[in-house]
Amino acid sequence: MKTEKRLREVEMKENGMNCPDGHGKMVIKRIKKGIPFRGIHLAVPTYQYVCKVCGKEAGTVNQAADIQMAISEAYRKSVNLLTGKEIVEKRKKLNLTQESLAKRMNVGIASIKRWEGGTIQSKSMDRALRVALGDQSVGDSCTGNRAFSIPRIKLVLREFESILGKHILKKNDKMLFAAKYLWYADMIAHRETGESMTGSTYAALPYGPQLNNYKDLIDDIIKADESKAEPLSRRKKGLSPRLP
Ligand SMILES: [Zn+2]
C-alpha cells in the first residue's frame, strides 16, 4: 500500500492525537524501528505520532497491532519463511480460498488465517505451505519426486515399528534410528520406483543420515495423523522388510 494512502487511513482510524505536553495535534510519521526479536535484529517500518514541537513519540492500540504484523513479516522474511503477504498472494494466484488451502494441507482453516494474519509458522509447516502453494523450491528431484509429507513419515515409521516389533519414535527423540530407517526407505523406494516414500531431505552426518530440520519436525511427526497420509502401495510395503 502507498505510504500516503496508508497514513491517511491510519489518521482516519485514530482521529489524531494531542501531545501530552500541550503542544497540540501530533503528526503521523513513518519510522523504521530497530526491534530485537527471537535473536534477530529487525528493522521494522512503523507509524507513530510525533509532536512537531517537542518531538515526543506516541503509539496507539491500532498501531501496536500494525507493528506486531510488521515484526512478524520482517522476521519471516529474514529467516526465509513465507510472509503473510506472500501466503495470501500465492494462494490467490492459485484461486484457492483459505478453506481450500487448509484442505490441501490437512490443517484447520484457523491455521491459514493465523499465518496470513501474522502468526509465525514452523519450518515444517512452511514447507507444507510451499508444497501446497506449488513453490518450485520443493517437491523436485532432491526430495525424491514426492511432495514432502509429515503424515507419510509417521506412516512409514509405523510400518517399520510393526515389522520390527519395537518403538522407533519416542518423545524428545533425536531420530538417530528413525532417520536411518526413513533414509533407507526413501533411498530404496527412489531407486526401485523412481519416487521416494516421504519426500524428506537428509543431511549426511558422521553417525549416518539425519532428517533435515528434524528438531523442528519431531513434534509435528509425533503429533501427525498417519491415517491422513496417502497409504503405502503394495510395492512400497514390499520394499521395507528387506531393510536392515
Ligand atoms: Zn509536544
Side-chain angles (χ1 to χ4, degrees), residues 19-24 26 51-56:
C19 174
D21 292 346
H23 298 130
M26 298 169 95
C51 174
K52 276 191 276 192
V53 181
C54 67
K56 195 161 255 177

Side-chain angles (χ1 to χ4, degrees), residues 25-94:
K25 267 211 175 331
M26 298 169 95
V27 293
I28 289 177
K29 260 198 177 157
R30 187 173 194 270
I31 324 172
K32 273 216 165 175
K33 265 210 152 148
I35 298 174
F37 183 75
R38 293 194 186 179
I40 292 178
H41 188 84
L42 302 170
V44 179
T46 64
Y47 298 91
Q48 289 215 291
Y49 283 103
V50 180
C51 174
K52 276 191 276 192
V53 181
C54 67
K56 195 161 255 177
E57 293 174 4
T60 69
V61 175
N62 280 337
Q63 284 172 297
D66 288 344
I67 289 171
Q68 290 226 313
M69 183 64 182
I71 289 173
S72 165
E73 296 292 85
Y75 175 78
R76 285 190 278 185
K77 196 156 246 168
S78 76
V79 297
N80 230 346
L81 295 171
L82 290 172
T83 64
K85 202 177 145 205
E86 284 169 338
I87 297 168
V88 174
E89 280 171 3
K90 283 174 188 283
R91 175 173 64 73
K92 290 196 170 156
K93 223 175 187 178
L94 293 172

Side-chain angles (χ1 to χ4, degrees), residues 189-204:
H190 190 234
R191 198 178 64 200
E192 309 266 315
T193 70
E195 187 187 69
S196 81
M197 284 209 197
T198 71
S200 301
T201 58
Y202 300 87

